[in-house]
Amino acid sequence: MEEWDIYDKYRIKKGKVVTRGDTLNADEFHLVIHVAIINSNNQLLIQQRQPFKKGWPNLWDITVGGTAQAGETSQQAAERELFEELGYAFDFTTIRPHFTINFQRGFDDYYILKAEVDLTKLTLQETEVQNVKWAYKDEIVTLIQSKQFIPYHFSVIDMIFDMKDQLGIFSS
């Protein structure tokens, strides 16, 4: 049973916990994280979701993602999801998300890591991930257009690749 902390519109915890699937009130929000790993060839590590997943079965997705569990910070959720889904350990305690996107029911934090990951050494979570591969931005756009990738706005994919070397709105 998955439990989530509830936040107000200012991202302050309301002291309320809900179970996944519960209906949230209009003034209640939850926290979601995504981790995008980009290698030195400017490729994003993407994962293919299992065919039996309730949401977006068989589609390709950003490296990892998921909802923060009750009591977790954004960083703790990112660390847990990355290890659970791919068996890849990374310490997020000293970093902040590269960007956050507000959505109707919550906050979506995006972390971007630059790393050389040997795909053969990953341990894929059988209940979540069926496959992983490296993909260039244009390949991801083609996968989105052909409905083989979760239908992110193209600007989100652009942002991941554009922000990989920096934080903030100014180019370096």
Side-chain angles (χ1 to χ4, degrees):
M1 177 170 66
E2 203 173 311
E3 293 185 321
W4 303 341
D5 286 318
I6 295 301
Y7 298 81
D8 68 13
K9 67 181 178 180
Y10 302 108
R11 200 171 167 154
I12 297 170
K13 285 185 184 179
K14 294 181 81 167
K16 178 180 178 181
V17 174
V18 298
T19 300
R20 182 184 189 122
D22 288 353
T23 301
L24 302 182
N25 296 325
D27 64 341
E28 296 179 330
F29 306 92
H30 72 283
L31 176 62
V32 174
I33 63 86
H34 287 281
V35 179
I37 299 178
I38 297 180
N39 67 18
S40 60
N41 292 325
N42 207 31
Q43 295 171 301
L44 176 64
L45 177 56
I46 62 175
Q47 64 153 284
Q48 188 177 26
R49 297 169 63 84
Q50 288 286 10
F52 47 80
K53 286 289 295 173
K54 191 171 188 175
W56 314 111
N58 280 320
L59 295 187
W60 289 94
D61 194 359
I62 292 169
T63 312
V64 298
T67 300
Q69 304 301 301
E72 284 184 323
T73 64
S74 174
Q75 289 82 358
Q76 289 168 332
E79 194 167 314
R80 176 186 51 77
E81 287 287 345
L82 185 59
F83 191 75
E84 279 181 2
E85 292 186 16
L86 301 182
Y88 188 80
F90 184 85
D91 182 1
F92 285 83
T93 54
T94 62
I95 64 172
R96 295 179 296 143
H98 276 73
F99 59 93
T100 299
I101 297 175
N102 294 314
F103 64 99
Q104 186 176 5
R105 296 286 14 117
F107 310 97
D108 206 343
D109 286 348
Y110 283 78
Y111 294 88
I112 305 169
L113 307 179
K114 290 170 46 177
E116 304 305 316
V117 177
D118 182 347
L119 302 184
T120 65
K121 296 194 175 172
L122 296 177
T123 304
L124 307 185
Q125 185 180 19
E126 291 179 17
T127 58
E128 298 271 341
V129 183
Q130 66 173 296
N131 199 5
V132 292
K133 69 178 182 177
W134 292 106
Y136 291 103
K137 182 167 69 171
D138 61 337
E139 293 174 79
I140 295 167
V141 167
T142 299
L143 288 169
I144 293 171
Q145 290 170 332
S146 66
K147 300 187 182 334
Q148 297 176 69
F149 203 100
I150 291 178
Y152 290 97
H153 290 282
F154 296 121
S155 58
V156 172
I157 303 303
D158 286 338
M159 186 96 100
I160 289 169
F161 281 91
D162 290 346
M163 299 294 292
K164 72 181 180 304
D165 295 318
Q166 65 189 40
L167 285 171
I169 60 171
F170 302 106
S171 60
S172 44

